[in-house]
Amino acid sequence: MTLQAEAITVRRGERALVAGVSLHVEPGEMLAVIGANGAGKSTLLHALVGDLPPSAGRVSFDGRSLATYDRLERARRIAFLAQASPLAFPFTVRDVIALGRSPHATGRIRDAEIVDAVATTTDIAHLLDRTYTRLSGGEKQRVQLARVLAQVWRAEDAGDRLLLLDEPVASLDIGHQSLIMRGLRRVAATGVAIVFVAHDVSLAAAHADGMLALADGGPVASGPPSQVVTEATLERVFDADTHVIAHPVTGTPVVLHD
Amino acid sequence: MRPAALIGLLMVLTVLAFLAELVFGAVRLPVGGVFAALSHVGTAADQTALIVNQIRLPRAILTALVGAILAISGAAMQGLFRNPLADPSLIGVTAGASAGASLAIVFGGALAGLAGLSAIALAAFAGGAAAVLLVYTLATRASGTSVATMLLAGIAISALAGSLTSLLEFYASNDMLRRISLWQMGGLEGANWPRVALMGGIAVVVLAGLPRLATALNALLLGESEARHLGFAVDRTKTVLITLVALGVGVSVALAGAIAFVGLVVPHIVRLAIGPDHRALLPASALAGAVLLLAADTVARVAVAPTELPVGLLTALLGAPFFIVLLRGTRDYAL
């Protein structure tokens, strides 16, 4: 029932982009991956989803190696959001989100309901009939997020599911960042294991169950946010002087830097 | 416009353009006579029936099929390459066919044709097929076919084939030169029943096959890895699509020469009306391509009767102003 990676290593030529990373995410859990630019966060996600076969270690979901899933079954259970999509044709927002339903055969009416539901979760219900190519960067990002949410929206389609998100809130304003993170929490509660890459360490710490810090492709720290978000770890990961304080209301770690 | 409405409208226009192709020409035929000839093809013996059955009907069918194949192939290529400037010639098929035809014109004077096809048509098909095969092989590695490499390989192979054609033109006699240049402008005057049968067989495969890839093409517009994560067999889709386009356009070019504009602009005209969803775009483009080429060919035969203009001149001459008007009148193409 879980996403499990055991000591995976991904090489390009001589260089190890990801080196010996293990992780474990249960449905309902959210794991945040943090690290500096080029630390191997995106490569790790690509390895988890099967785009880049690891040169060592193995990835399994629900007790089975990813390689044993057939195309459609994988698409019904695992969705992946890349940092940017090259979509440059004037689809309507509704059409883009509906593409997320293409691995399913749930029928037009059910799919339309799901499109409406994910549009509400990502606050784009008012954009459904607009042309995708005319939206702002943050709006496009919410549309693409809605598309992958539509893909793994219902437990009755596929049971436990996996959602991998590469910087899902990177170009959003703070209001939408919080909205999306709370939405992801509700999605996780329906039986979805979520792994997301985040640059905003405080935001990730506030919403994730677990965190994994990478530096040069290797794991530096992993565990609950309170254990990972420390001044010592952040120094090693980002090579930056930081102060970590407790959030005055929730108590989660908040990172200050100058 | 609703997609179904546009497809309905285009069906009506296709029928009208098809009838116009039969009625108008060097000799204007009575509409009643044309219908009479159509209702018993092969038996009637008066002059109208002869013209319709032996000359205009095969030509109209060939024209409609070539127009449909060029336009639907253009729409599919623009989707595959995620590039609104793509057209069927991008994978080298047109330049390769042109080189093949030039070779046959310059060196193949003594070569006989085969089954109603001239040596030039056969050489054009061979040239087009060879070029596509080369482009596809260059862009394919163990990890799959790279669309970006295919684009660049297509440009390189087209340039090579183009310089071969130029070299042949340099050594060609004046008469050969004229034939090469006329072939490149395209024309449907070679239409006969064996050619219609060949094109018809290919058209069934292409026109039935490409629309089956419509949802995969929609997903491919999101990006290749996005389409893969949505469960589409991306590499198989690419191979099938390239094969169908090469087959359809290769045979079209062999039978009708290089007809410009249809494959590039017809899909844009349709997209302006109904948007980029390939499920409607592909069939609508096929119909619109048939209408445009039928109209262009009718004008080509009537404008300077009893001789003919090359139809390739007229597709752009008729289509470009229409496209410009549409483009100016559309605020929200967003491409």
Side-chain angles (χ1 to χ4, degrees):
Chain A
M1 292 299 162
T2 52
L3 169 71
Q4 185 125 24
E6 290 160 34
I8 54 171
T9 295
V10 180
R11 291 183 180 283
R12 180 167 294 156
E14 286 297 289
R15 235 165 73 82
L17 303 176
V18 169
V21 174
S22 298
L23 55 83
H24 179 103
V25 191
E26 299 278 347
E29 282 183 359
M30 293 171 67
L31 175 77
V33 181
I34 60 169
N37 300 137
K41 306 183 295 293
S42 297
T43 309
L44 174 63
L45 286 201
H46 281 289
L48 292 178
V49 79
D51 282 349
L52 292 171
S55 50
R58 59 179 237 117
V59 181
S60 63
F61 179 64
D62 206 357
R64 289 160 55 195
S65 161
L66 273 192
T68 65
Y69 284 82
D70 80 37
R71 257 184 317 109
L72 269 182
E73 188 188 6
R74 217 179 70 160
R76 285 178 187 150
R77 304 193 65 178
I78 304 175
F80 178 80
L81 176 67
Q83 273 181 37
S85 159
L87 179 59
F89 281 70
F91 280 104
T92 63
V93 168
R94 193 186 298 281
D95 288 343
V96 175
I97 301 173
L99 279 171
R101 294 303 296 170
S102 37
H104 301 278
T106 38
R108 197 174 291 206
I109 296 165
R110 186 62 39 81
D111 287 355
E113 289 168 11
I114 292 170
V115 168
D116 286 333
V118 295
T120 306
T121 300
T122 51
D123 190 29
I124 50 169
H126 58 296
L127 302 175
L128 279 175
D129 293 309
R130 294 264 298 275
T131 302
Y132 176 81
T133 40
R134 294 227 180 259
L135 301 181
S136 76
E139 288 169 335
K140 283 181 182 170
Q141 191 170 26
R142 269 143 59 205
V143 174
Q144 293 289 350
L145 181 63
R147 174 176 65 75
V148 293
L149 288 181
Q151 192 179 339
V152 293
W153 189 247
R154 295 199 319 160
E156 55 262 56
D157 291 336
D160 287 336
R161 291 138 291 147
L162 172 63
L163 186 55
L164 300 158
L165 308 167
D166 200 347
E167 300 189 20
V169 296
S171 45
L172 305 187
D173 58 73
I174 52 171
H176 281 112
Q177 287 188 344
S178 305
L179 180 93
I180 295 298
M181 296 311 295
R182 288 195 302 270
L184 288 177
R185 168 60 64 193
R186 289 195 303 275
V187 171
T190 67
V192 183
I194 298 181
V195 180
F196 67 102
V197 170
H199 272 303
D200 186 333
V201 178
S202 308
L203 183 76
H207 294 278
D209 302 294
M211 295 180 81
L212 168 67
L214 294 182
D216 295 323
V220 173
S222 67
S226 57
Q227 284 174 27
V228 173
V229 183
T230 63
E231 284 158 18
T233 302
L234 296 178
E235 159 99 53
R236 281 180 65 195
V237 171
F238 295 106
D239 194 19
D241 275 332
T242 56
H243 291 282
V244 176
I245 60 172
H247 190 285
V249 179
T250 60
T252 59
V254 174
V255 179
L256 305 175
H257 58 97
D258 39 41
Chain B
M1 190 184 276
R2 292 171 54 83
L6 181 75
I7 288 176
L9 175 69
L10 285 169
M11 281 177 168
V12 173
L13 286 176
T14 306
V15 171
L16 291 178
F18 193 87
L19 287 175
E21 172 95 5
L22 297 179
V23 169
F24 298 106
V27 184
R28 191 187 181 289
L29 300 178
V31 178
V34 169
F35 276 116
L38 283 179
S39 58
H40 33 282
V41 172
T43 54
D46 63 74
Q47 199 199 5
T48 298
L50 269 178
I51 294 178
V52 168
N53 292 341
Q54 293 308 310
I55 301 172
R56 291 197 190 164
L57 187 57
R59 180 164 182 156
I61 296 174
L62 187 69
T63 305
L65 294 177
V66 168
I69 284 177
L70 290 177
I72 198 173
S73 300
M77 296 296 279
Q78 288 166 6
L80 176 66
F81 284 97
R82 293 194 292 280
N83 186 334
L85 294 179
D87 80 349
S89 67
L90 206 66
I91 48 173
V93 60
T94 311
S98 197
S102 306
L103 267 174
I105 290 169
V106 173
F107 293 113
L111 291 178
L114 189 72
L117 296 170
S118 65
I120 297 172
L122 292 172
F125 180 74
V132 176
L133 214 59
L134 217 67
V135 168
Y136 189 75
T137 312
L138 281 172
T140 304
R141 302 239 160 76
S143 56
T145 305
S146 157
V147 164
T149 311
M150 196 146 65
L151 193 91
L152 295 173
I155 289 170
I157 297 299
S158 293
L160 270 179
S163 44
L164 176 61
T165 307
S166 300
L167 187 71
L168 289 165
E169 284 173 346
F170 182 73
Y171 284 109
S173 69
N174 277 345
D175 171 54
M176 291 170 179
L177 200 56
R178 184 168 166 71
R179 283 167 63 200
I180 293 176
S181 120
L182 276 175
W183 184 89
Q184 284 174 348
M185 288 182 220
L188 294 141
E189 63 281 355
N192 55 33
W193 284 113
R195 288 182 167 211
V196 167
L198 172 66
M199 190 80 257
I202 299 291
V204 166
V205 176
V206 174
L207 297 177
L210 285 178
R212 296 169 62 95
L213 303 175
T215 41
L217 276 169
N218 284 345
L220 272 172
L221 291 183
L222 288 171
E224 268 183 37
S225 79
E226 279 78 1
R228 206 168 277 125
H229 293 140
L230 283 169
F232 290 97
V234 171
D235 288 307
R236 205 184 117 259
T237 302
K238 279 192 248 182
T239 310
V240 171
L241 193 145
I242 294 290
T243 308
L244 289 175
V245 167
L247 197 65
V249 178
V251 174
S252 299
V253 172
L255 297 183
I259 295 172
F261 190 81
V262 178
L264 178 61
V265 174
V266 166
H268 285 290
I269 293 175
V270 175
R271 233 183 254 115
L272 276 166
I274 58 171
D277 186 340
H278 287 91
R279 284 170 297 182
L281 177 67
L282 293 177
S285 291
L287 289 167
V291 171
L292 175 62
L293 201 58
L294 283 166
D297 191 55
T298 304
V299 175
R301 291 177 303 116
V302 173
V304 291
T307 53
E308 288 185 13
L309 287 171
V311 71
L313 291 183
L314 285 157
T315 47
L317 208 61
L318 289 178
F322 181 61
F323 182 52
I324 291 167
V325 168
L326 267 181
L327 212 52
R328 293 289 300 171
T330 307
R331 196 177 45 83
D332 203 35
Y333 190 27
L335 196 67

Coordinates of all heavy atoms in Angstrom, one line a residue, chain B residues 92-107 120 123-128 131 157-158 160-166 168 180 183-184 253:
Chain B
G92 N 10.6 15.5 -44.8 CA 11.5 15.3 -45.9 C 10.7 14.7 -47.1 O 11.3 14.5 -48.2
V93 N 9.4 14.4 -46.9 CA 8.8 13.6 -48.0 C 8.7 14.4 -49.3 O 8.9 13.8 -50.4 CB 7.4 13.1 -47.5 CG1 6.5 14.2 -47.1 CG2 6.7 12.2 -48.5
T94 N 8.4 15.7 -49.2 CA 8.1 16.4 -50.4 C 9.5 16.7 -51.2 O 9.5 16.5 -52.4 CB 7.5 17.8 -50.1 OG1 6.4 17.5 -49.2 CG2 7.0 18.5 -51.3
A95 N 10.5 17.0 -50.4 CA 11.8 17.3 -51.1 C 12.3 16.0 -51.7 O 12.9 16.0 -52.8 CB 12.8 17.9 -50.0
G96 N 12.2 14.9 -50.9 CA 12.6 13.6 -51.4 C 11.9 13.2 -52.7 O 12.5 12.7 -53.7
A97 N 10.6 13.4 -52.7 CA 9.8 13.1 -53.9 C 10.2 14.0 -55.1 O 10.3 13.5 -56.2 CB 8.3 13.3 -53.6
S98 N 10.5 15.2 -54.8 CA 10.9 16.1 -55.8 C 12.2 15.7 -56.5 O 12.3 15.7 -57.7 CB 11.0 17.5 -55.2 OG 11.0 18.5 -56.2
A99 N 13.1 15.3 -55.6 CA 14.4 14.8 -56.1 C 14.2 13.5 -57.0 O 14.8 13.4 -58.0 CB 15.4 14.5 -55.0
G100 N 13.3 12.6 -56.5 CA 13.1 11.4 -57.2 C 12.4 11.7 -58.5 O 12.9 11.1 -59.6
A101 N 11.5 12.6 -58.6 CA 10.8 12.9 -59.8 C 11.8 13.6 -60.8 O 11.8 13.3 -62.0 CB 9.6 13.9 -59.5
S102 N 12.7 14.4 -60.3 CA 13.6 15.1 -61.1 C 14.6 14.1 -61.7 O 14.9 14.1 -62.9 CB 14.4 16.1 -60.3 OG 13.6 17.0 -59.7
L103 N 15.0 13.1 -60.9 CA 15.9 12.0 -61.4 C 15.2 11.3 -62.6 O 15.9 11.1 -63.6 CB 16.2 11.0 -60.3 CG 17.4 11.2 -59.4 CD1 17.5 10.2 -58.3 CD2 18.7 11.1 -60.3
A104 N 14.0 11.0 -62.4 CA 13.2 10.3 -63.4 C 13.1 11.1 -64.7 O 13.2 10.6 -65.8 CB 11.9 9.8 -62.9
I105 N 12.8 12.4 -64.5 CA 12.7 13.3 -65.7 C 14.0 13.4 -66.4 O 14.0 13.4 -67.6 CB 12.1 14.7 -65.2 CG1 10.7 14.5 -64.7 CG2 12.2 15.7 -66.4 CD1 10.1 15.8 -64.0
V106 N 15.1 13.6 -65.7 CA 16.4 13.8 -66.4 C 17.0 12.5 -66.9 O 17.4 12.5 -68.1 CB 17.4 14.5 -65.4 CG1 18.8 14.6 -66.0 CG2 16.8 15.8 -65.0
F107 N 16.9 11.4 -66.2 CA 17.6 10.2 -66.6 C 16.7 9.1 -67.1 O 17.1 8.2 -67.7 CB 18.4 9.6 -65.5 CG 19.6 10.5 -65.1 CD1 19.6 11.1 -63.9 CD2 20.6 10.7 -66.0 CE1 20.7 12.0 -63.5 CE2 21.7 11.5 -65.7 CZ 21.7 12.2 -64.4
I120 N 7.8 8.7 -63.5 CA 8.0 9.8 -62.6 C 7.3 9.7 -61.3 O 7.9 9.9 -60.2 CB 7.5 11.1 -63.3 CG1 8.4 11.3 -64.6 CG2 7.6 12.3 -62.4 CD1 7.9 12.5 -65.5
A123 N 9.1 7.1 -59.2 CA 10.4 7.6 -58.7 C 10.1 8.7 -57.6 O 10.9 8.7 -56.6 CB 11.2 8.3 -59.8
A124 N 9.1 9.4 -57.7 CA 8.7 10.4 -56.7 C 8.4 9.7 -55.4 O 8.8 10.1 -54.3 CB 7.6 11.3 -57.1
F125 N 7.6 8.7 -55.5 CA 7.2 7.9 -54.3 C 8.5 7.3 -53.6 O 8.6 7.4 -52.4 CB 6.2 6.8 -54.5 CG 5.8 6.1 -53.3 CD1 5.0 6.7 -52.3 CD2 6.3 4.8 -53.0 CE1 4.7 6.1 -51.2 CE2 6.0 4.2 -51.8 CZ 5.2 4.8 -50.9
A126 N 9.3 6.7 -54.4 CA 10.5 6.1 -53.9 C 11.4 7.2 -53.2 O 11.9 7.0 -52.1 CB 11.3 5.4 -55.0
G127 N 11.5 8.3 -53.8 CA 12.3 9.4 -53.3 C 11.8 9.9 -51.9 O 12.5 10.1 -50.9
G128 N 10.4 10.1 -51.9 CA 9.8 10.6 -50.7 C 9.9 9.5 -49.6 O 10.3 9.9 -48.4
A131 N 13.5 9.4 -48.2 CA 13.8 10.6 -47.4 C 13.2 10.4 -45.9 O 13.8 10.7 -44.9 CB 13.3 11.9 -48.0
I157 N 17.7 16.7 -44.4 CA 17.5 15.8 -45.5 C 16.8 16.6 -46.6 O 17.1 16.4 -47.8 CB 16.6 14.6 -45.1 CG1 17.4 13.7 -44.1 CG2 16.3 13.7 -46.3 CD1 18.7 13.2 -44.6
S158 N 15.9 17.5 -46.3 CA 15.2 18.3 -47.3 C 16.2 19.1 -48.0 O 16.1 19.3 -49.2 CB 14.1 19.2 -46.6 OG 13.1 18.4 -46.1
L160 N 19.4 18.5 -48.4 CA 20.2 17.6 -49.3 C 19.4 17.2 -50.6 O 19.9 17.3 -51.7 CB 20.5 16.3 -48.6 CG 21.8 16.2 -47.7 CD1 21.9 14.8 -47.1 CD2 23.0 16.4 -48.6
A161 N 18.1 16.8 -50.4 CA 17.3 16.5 -51.5 C 17.1 17.7 -52.4 O 17.2 17.6 -53.7 CB 16.0 15.9 -51.1
G162 N 17.0 18.9 -51.8 CA 16.8 20.1 -52.6 C 18.1 20.4 -53.4 O 17.9 20.8 -54.6
S163 N 19.2 20.2 -52.9 CA 20.4 20.5 -53.7 C 20.6 19.4 -54.8 O 21.1 19.7 -55.9 CB 21.7 20.6 -52.8 OG 21.7 19.6 -51.9
L164 N 20.2 18.2 -54.5 CA 20.2 17.2 -55.6 C 19.3 17.6 -56.7 O 19.7 17.6 -57.9 CB 19.8 15.8 -55.1 CG 19.7 14.7 -56.1 CD1 21.0 14.4 -56.7 CD2 19.1 13.4 -55.4
T165 N 18.1 18.1 -56.4 CA 17.2 18.6 -57.4 C 17.8 19.7 -58.2 O 17.7 19.8 -59.4 CB 15.8 19.0 -56.7 OG1 15.3 17.9 -55.9 CG2 14.8 19.4 -57.8
S166 N 18.4 20.7 -57.5 CA 19.0 21.8 -58.1 C 20.1 21.4 -59.1 O 20.3 21.9 -60.2 CB 19.6 22.8 -57.1 OG 18.6 23.3 -56.3
L168 N 20.3 18.5 -60.6 CA 19.7 17.9 -61.8 C 19.1 19.0 -62.7 O 19.3 18.9 -63.9 CB 18.6 17.0 -61.3 CG 19.0 15.7 -60.6 CD1 17.9 15.0 -59.9 CD2 19.6 14.7 -61.7
I180 N 10.3 19.6 -64.8 CA 10.6 19.6 -63.4 C 9.8 20.7 -62.7 O 9.1 20.5 -61.6 CB 12.1 19.7 -63.1 CG1 12.8 18.5 -63.7 CG2 12.4 19.9 -61.6 CD1 14.3 18.6 -63.5
W183 N 6.1 20.0 -62.5 CA 5.9 18.9 -61.5 C 5.9 19.5 -60.1 O 5.0 19.2 -59.3 CB 6.9 17.8 -61.6 CG 6.6 16.7 -60.7 CD1 5.8 15.6 -61.0 CD2 7.0 16.5 -59.3 NE1 5.7 14.8 -59.9 CE2 6.4 15.3 -58.9 CE3 7.7 17.3 -58.5 CZ2 6.6 14.9 -57.6 CZ3 7.9 16.8 -57.2 CH2 7.3 15.6 -56.7
Q184 N 6.8 20.4 -59.9 CA 6.9 21.0 -58.5 C 5.7 21.8 -58.1 O 5.4 22.0 -57.0 CB 8.2 21.7 -58.4 CG 9.4 20.8 -58.2 CD 10.7 21.5 -58.2 OE1 10.8 22.7 -58.5 NE2 11.8 20.8 -57.8
V253 N 1.9 13.1 -53.2 CA 2.9 13.9 -54.0 C 3.3 13.1 -55.2 O 3.5 13.8 -56.3 CB 4.2 14.1 -53.1 CG1 5.3 14.7 -53.8 CG2 3.8 15.0 -51.9

